[in-house]
Structure formats: C-alpha cells, structure tokens
C-alpha cells in the first residue's frame, strides 16, 4: 500500500437471519475501504459465540469453510486499520469475552480520548488487559458494572467513555448499535425483510439488498432483540453539539454511500465546484487523481466548464500480498498502481484534482509521471484545506511532523510536488459547500477539537505505557 495514511474501521451487524455470517462477510466486503489490515466476524447460535479473525483483506481472511464455521442467526463484523494499538491479530476485532452475564462481543470504530485514564483506573483495580486497543476497555467497564440488567450496565459504561465511539455489541440476546453523542463516525440502520442490519455506510446495505431505514442518531443506542428494536438515550443529560467527521465526506466513505444525511458523491461534487470558484485557472483538461479525486474533479469540471478527462488508470488489484519492487526498480513502483495515458495528457495544460495531500510523497510521484507523459502544465487542486493537525477521533493521520502542510508553506508544497500552481479549498468554502457547518468536526484542518484530549492521543499510547511497566 503506497498511499499515505490509513483508514479507520468498518462495522456491520445483523440480527435474525439464517445466513448471518455470509451476509456479514458481504457487508464487510463493501466496507473494505474503511480498513484493509484485518477483518473479523463473531456469530452467536443460541449456545455459543463463534469467532474468525485474520490479518488481511476480507476476501483473504474468509473462505467458504470459515463461513461454515460461523453458525447462528446474529453476527457482527469489523474491518480494521489501526487507530489505536499496533497491527497484530491480537488487536483485531470484534473482541469477545465471557463474563458474569454471559458472552459478549464488541466492534469499535473511532478513538476514545480518555482511554489511557480509564485503563489506568481499571488496572489499578485489578483488571488484566489482553490487547492494546482502547476498545477492550469498554468490555472491562461492562464486566465491572453490577446492575441487574445488561441495558443498565451498558448505559453506565457508555457514560464513562469520551471521544469517538461507534460501537456494535453482540450479546446472547441482542445486537446493539451505539453512536457517541457527537456522532463522529457514521452508523446506519437497514432492514432486509424482517431482519435488522447495522452498518457503517449504506453501501453495505446495498450489497445485501437491505433497505435503508435511518441513521442511528448521535447519542443513541439501538438494541435489537426478539422483541424488535428499542432506542435508548444514554447521554440525554449530556448535551453536546454534533461533530460529524467531514473527512468521511472528503475521502473516507464510499461515494455510493449516504452518511450524515447526505450523498457522499454529491458532497464531493459540491466541494469540487467550490474549488473551481475559489481557484480558477486556464487549462485544457480537468483530471482526477483516481479514485479519491473523481467526484471533486467532476465538480471542478462542471463549474469551470473545462472538459473532464480520465488520464490516469489505477490498478485496483494491488493487495497486501503485492511483492514490492526491488530497490533498483523502485521508481517503477508508482506505475504499478497508476499509469498515465500519454495520448490524453501529451501537450495539455492539466488541472489535477485530489481529495487531500497528507505527506505529499505519492502526489509528487504522480505529478512526475504526468510530466513524463508529456503534460504541458499541471495545476493541482485539493478538495479540502491543508491537513495540519492530528486526528484523535479515529482517522489515522501520521504525526503532525509528517503532515506536509505543517512543515512547508503553500509555495514550498507547490515546489515539492512540482506543479505550476496549487490551490486548496478554504475551510469556509468547504463548510459552505457542505452546508450545516455547525454539525461537522474540522479538527484536522482547523485545529479546533470538539472534545478535549489529555495529550494521550497517540495510537501507541497504551503500548508505550505498558512498556513502562505500568501494566
Ligand atoms: P500524499 O501525496 O500525501 O503522499 O498522498 C495523498 C493521497 O493520499 C491522496 O490521493 C489521498 O486520497 C490519499 N489519502 C488521504 N487520506 C488517506 C487515508 O486515510 N488513507 C489512505 N490510504 N490514503 C489517504
Ligand atoms: Mg487518493
């Protein structure tokens, strides 16, 4: 994988279907873009939980036989990229435990900002942790709660969490979906005849033929069991504003999904249009950097009336098992994934549009290959503002130091990537284009964090502290 940074996670859950594992597999397959590092499914068959997890893509982790080994009518699944804890099978999800009230599995998308603090308290009281992911803390908190009903334990536990947490729980009786009060990450509810489905994005409903019902609301927990669906409001006395992750719209979610009440592709087209208004330029063609730049480029082309062209082809089959080229042919690496089409590019003044620049390295390499293909001029346009700040809510950006917009001025970035002009969308323009500006988190661009964190927002924090003998 030569792209700059990593994704967060994809969640899928289903209650009451004889093909629960297989449908979960399909759901995860369509959520692959949210995490390519590990995948897992847990099912419950009325007697026991069954788990299969592995490192790699969904299609690499699951086979006919592994799905046969996952009986039951309820299931949850997870695709993972590491946002807390390093990339090991032990840290992959869903996590399953058995405690006083039976077996329970959890799958988490997002990051807790008070993970370190909570873990310290739990360890001081004798808890022993198996993993270094923050999600395990949630299971410990549940296990320690002493109410009669699981539902009350759940509410008690959820109220202790701070940060971004979209969660799925599978218990022996229910499938539960939770969104934190800010609603950082998406979660949608769907229906396949009588079966309820929960998924990170609507593309996972489409793939199994389920109908979109509604989004799980920020601050809501939906409990789906034999009696149907109940909605809880665990945080109702903790009023907070909404903080949907705007980077989900810019890059993360699939363009065929609807999240946060909007069509992702439509938002991207609007961002592209706004970009064209803010940074017009004379050129012959507008070209996306595929695939993340596709819809923003379309918007730029529609607004500027400069023809849209596909001048670079992306190879989609570069998986984890791809053997990296040897040192002496490193330069060819970029072409494994992207190949410019010379007859489209040669002699043309190009506007190239991408969703974001993170470290700048892949952008620089792509610009170089466009030059080699004969581009006369290259104007780069980016459909979000300069990415300058770390994300503590579930997007795995590299450290602040590695973010190019943090180290270099606009003109230095332009020189580094090697283009005639460079234009980023402004924060105001972006919010205006998306609408409902107060509902979004823009921390990675603005540095304004909707939930304060204690400086422990490093994905390896739990490991470092473990290494210091605090475990
Ligand atoms: P850079 O030029 O900064 O090395 O890479 C920019 C590219 O990284 C853009 O095409 C953008 O789509 C992609 N990108 C942005 N965010 C992420 C992410 O979270 N994960 C991955 N794999 N790529 C990302
Ligand atoms: Mg990209």
């Amino acid at each position: 994988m030569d792209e700059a940074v990593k994704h967060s996670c994809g969640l899928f859950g289903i209650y009451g279907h004889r093909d629960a594992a297989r449908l979960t597999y399909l759901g995860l397959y369509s959520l692959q873009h949210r995490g390519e590092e590990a995948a897992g499914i847990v099912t419950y068959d009325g007697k026991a939980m069954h788990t299969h997890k592995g490192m790699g893509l969904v299609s690499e982790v699951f086979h006919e036989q592994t799905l046969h080994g996952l009986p039951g009518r309820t299931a949850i699944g997870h695709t993972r990229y590491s946002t807390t804890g390093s990339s090991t099978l032990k840290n992959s999800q869903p996590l399953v435990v058995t405690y006083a009230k039976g077996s329970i599995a959890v799958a988490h998308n997002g990051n807790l900002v008070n993970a370190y603090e909570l873990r310290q308290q739990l360890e001081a009281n004798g808890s022993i942790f198996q993993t270094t992911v923050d999600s395990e803390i949630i299971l410990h908190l549940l296990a320690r709660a002493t109410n009669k009903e699981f539902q009350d334990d759940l509410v008690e536990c959820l109220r202790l969490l701070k940060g971004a947490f979209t969660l799925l729980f599978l218990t022996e009786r229910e499938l539960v979906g939770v969104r934190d009060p800010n609603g950082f990450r998406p979660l949608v509810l769907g229906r396949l005849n009588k079966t309820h489905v929960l998924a990170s994005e609507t593309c996972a409903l489409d793939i199994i033929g389920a109908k979109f019902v509604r989004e799980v609301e920020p601050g809501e927990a939906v409990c789906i069991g034999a009696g149907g669906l109940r909605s809880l409001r665990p945080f109702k006395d903790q009023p907070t504003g909404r903080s949907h992750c705007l980077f989900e719209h810019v890059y993360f979610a699939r363009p065929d999904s609807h999240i946060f009440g909007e069509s992702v592709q439509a938002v991207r087209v609007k961002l592209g249009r706004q970009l064209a208004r803010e940074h017009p330029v004379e050129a012959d063609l507008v070209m996306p950097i595929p695939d993340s730049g596709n819809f923003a480029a379309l918007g730029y082309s529609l607004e500027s009336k400069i023809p849209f062209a596909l001048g670079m082809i992306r190879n989609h089959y570069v998986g984890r098992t791809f053997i990296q080229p040897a040192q002496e042919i490193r330069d060819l690496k970029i072409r494994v994934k992207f190949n410019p089409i010379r007859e489209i590019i040669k002699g043309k003044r190009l506007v190239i549009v991408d969703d974001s620049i993170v470290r700048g390295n892949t952008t620089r390499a792509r610009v170089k290959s466009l030059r080699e293909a004969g581009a006369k001029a290259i104007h780069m346009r980016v459909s979000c503002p300069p990415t300058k700040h770390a994300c503590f809510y579930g997007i795995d950006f590299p450290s602040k130091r590695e973010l190019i917009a943090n180290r270099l001025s606009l003109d230095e970035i332009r020189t580094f990537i090697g283009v005639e002009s460079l234009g980023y969308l402004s924060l105001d323009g972006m919010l205006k284009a998306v609408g409902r500006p107060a509902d979004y988190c823009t921390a990675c661009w603005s540095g304004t964090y909707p939930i304060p964190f204690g400086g422990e927002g490093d994905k390896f924090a739990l490991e470092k502290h473990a290494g210091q003998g605090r475990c």
Side-chain angles (χ1 to χ4, degrees), residues 290-313:
D291 294 322
S292 53
N294 289 357
F295 288 94
L298 185 61
Y300 194 103
S301 164
L302 290 169
E303 188 68 26
S304 64
K305 312 263 185 326
I306 301 171
F308 179 87
L310 292 171
M312 274 176 130
I313 295 303

Side-chain angles (χ1 to χ4, degrees), residues 177-220:
V178 179
R179 265 179 100 194
D180 61 70
N182 296 69
F184 281 101
R185 308 270 147 233
L187 186 67
V188 299
L189 175 69
R191 245 186 127 120
L192 180 64
N193 302 319
K194 290 198 171 125
T195 305
H196 289 283
V197 184
L198 292 167
S200 292
E201 297 179 32
T202 56
C203 65
L205 304 180
D206 297 339
I207 196 174
I208 62 159
K211 287 206 168 59
F212 170 73
V213 177
R214 64 177 177 87
E215 296 189 30
V216 174
E217 284 182 33
E220 182 183 14

Side-chain angles (χ1 to χ4, degrees), residues 3-7 247 251 292 354-363 366 397:
E3 292 240 11
V5 286
K6 295 172 182 170
H7 304 200
F247 196 62
Y251 167 80
S292 53
D354 205 354
D355 66 286
S356 54
I357 300 177
V358 183
R359 290 188 177 88
N361 294 328
T362 52
T363 304
R366 284 168 204 166
F397 283 129

Side-chain angles (χ1 to χ4, degrees), residues 84 108-119 121 134-135 137-138 141 154-167 178-185 235 238-240 243 392-394 450-457:
T84 62
H108 177 197
N109 176 201
N111 256 32
L112 301 180
V113 296
N114 62 341
Y116 176 61
E117 202 180 303
L118 287 173
R119 184 160 166 162
Q121 286 164 12
D134 55 356
S135 324
I137 293 165
I138 300 167
L141 293 173
L154 181 70
V155 170
E156 184 181 317
C157 153
L158 292 175
R159 292 172 61 84
L160 296 170
L161 308 180
K162 288 206 183 88
F165 46 98
T166 294
L167 300 165
V178 179
R179 265 179 100 194
D180 61 70
N182 296 69
F184 281 101
R185 308 270 147 233
F235 317 95
Q238 306 176 358
T240 63
S243 319
F392 300 109
Y393 313 124
I451 297 188
F453 49 91
E456 290 292 343

Side-chain angles (χ1 to χ4, degrees), residues 54-65:
M55 301 301 291
L57 300 175
V58 176
S59 60
E60 294 168 326
V61 171
F62 294 98
H63 304 282
E64 210 41 65
Q65 231 176 339

